[in-house]
Amino acid sequence: MVTASTAAVPALGRAASAQATSQGVSASASSDPVSFVLEINERQHRVALDVRTTLLDALREHLGLAGTKKGCDQGQCGACTVLVDGRRVLSCLTLAASVQDHSITTIEGISGPGGELHPMQQAFIEHDAFQCGYCTPGQIMSAIGCVNEGHAESDAAIREYMSGNICRCGAYPNIVAAVNQAKLSTRA
């Protein structure tokens, strides 16, 4: 049984497509790749992406930098946290094209030149602040940002400014301890 609204959908779709074409706008114009350069972990990457591509998808799907995790994909969990010009950003809510003139740092870019761990990574290990590990890259990037932004002066401040990063294992006391340990050697 077909209703009038169901039968009208194909006709409306054809009419909208015809109207867009008559106005000189291609139906696929918004998805045509745009070429630009992203500076990620102090390296230049030329990409050609749909302008609607998020930074998270550009990192994971197009550049093979899978350390940044896709959790909720709605900006609620913090698993996708990266640093843009040293400040914390949720990469699932950030369009890649919008950060083309900025310095992006992912979890892959924080270790030393010889592969030594960043002080925050070392502190997370020493305080068992990573447990299952899924949220750890976002937690570490957010912790570095928290320190760099001057928000790690007390346990309460650390908890407040790290509250956008969800740990399903409940390692929050260990995360606060790790941030406290690493903050003296992490400041930018």
Side-chain angles (χ1 to χ4, degrees):
M1 186 168 171
V2 177
T3 65
S5 62
T6 306
V9 169
L12 291 174
R14 284 191 301 272
S17 179
Q19 183 179 9
T21 304
S22 70
Q23 293 175 353
V25 177
S26 157
S28 66
S30 65
S31 64
D32 290 342
V34 174
S35 183
F36 55 95
V37 175
L38 292 172
E39 181 189 325
I40 303 167
N41 302 327
E42 300 180 351
R43 292 186 54 219
Q44 303 288 317
H45 298 269
R46 177 159 295 286
V47 294
L49 303 171
D50 180 317
V51 295
R52 300 168 293 183
T53 303
T54 64
L55 178 56
L56 175 60
D57 287 340
L59 293 170
R60 292 183 58 81
E61 308 297 326
H62 299 280
L63 297 171
L65 296 170
T68 304
K69 301 302 181 205
K70 184 179 272 198
C72 67
D73 211 19
Q74 297 177 7
Q76 300 295 311
C77 71
C80 67
T81 304
V82 298
L83 302 177
V84 175
D85 295 333
R87 298 194 63 83
R88 296 175 284 173
V89 169
L90 297 171
S91 62
C92 74
L93 297 180
T94 305
L95 294 176
S98 73
V99 292
Q100 64 181 307
D101 295 324
H102 300 276
S103 175
I104 302 159
T105 306
T106 67
I107 192 72
E108 293 92 347
I110 64 170
S111 63
E116 61 275 1
L117 295 177
H118 185 280
M120 194 63 75
Q121 290 173 304
Q122 187 63 45
F124 265 64
I125 291 169
E126 290 174 15
H127 289 277
D128 192 25
F130 56 89
Q131 295 195 9
C132 86
Y134 193 81
C135 72
T136 303
Q139 294 279 1
I140 289 172
M141 297 309 291
S142 189
I144 293 169
C146 181
V147 170
N148 290 345
E149 295 162 11
H151 299 303
E153 300 308 315
S154 68
D155 288 359
I158 293 168
R159 282 191 293 275
E160 173 68 24
Y161 285 96
M162 291 290 293
S163 66
N165 290 78
I166 308 284
C167 172
R168 295 178 193 265
C169 299
Y172 297 114
N174 304 12
I175 291 168
V176 171
V179 173
N180 275 320
Q181 176 183 318
K183 70 183 175 187
L184 298 175
S185 56
T186 302
R187 290 207 158 112

